[in-house]
Amino acid sequence: WMPLYRDWCDGRSFNALLKGTLFYEAPAVVLLQTQQGHVLGGLSTVWTDNNGKYAGSTECWLFALQPAFTVCKSTSSSGNYAYLNSRNKYAPRGLGFGGQEGFFRLWIDADFEECYVLESDATYAPGLLHPSSGSLQIPFQLAAIEVWGCGGLEAAKLQKAHRERVEGV
């Protein structure tokens, strides 16, 4: 495991998250802590800006660690696994999992201000990711966000090489 992004040392911005995660060609875990102390997140198998389109595979999943342990594996082949958009101004900008555009199962907007979970969606198995407030969409305030790569040194080397090709270094 290696840190790709940690808001407390890389800066709390979507651009910093992108800098750390883009072109990572291995699974990575997003860990979120809410202001209420709840811990939840997801695992994505793809880390490219898809310009407002979903990507990923059935190996993507969502989880909650606090206040209760829950794992929500993919139950569909809809293709709506993971969403990452920073460029398309006509689509939601941020990081999302499941659901559909505008109604993600887990959503972190590009400003880290409008974050929410849904109680269920068609992509992932049922399971409470955040204690419900009685509504279908459960907003939360983000206290911390980290992304950890699970691909080892080889994935990090490939990411660095891809980044250098794209940036022309």
Side-chain angles (χ1 to χ4, degrees), residues 4 24-29 43-47 59 148-151:
L4 300 177
Y24 190 75
E25 296 182 18
V29 175
L43 178 130
S44 179
T45 56
V46 71
W47 291 94
E59 294 177 16
W148 288 79
C150 307

Side-chain angles (χ1 to χ4, degrees), residues 21 40 61 118 124 127:
T21 60
L40 62 148
W61 43 274
L118 298 179
Y124 294 101

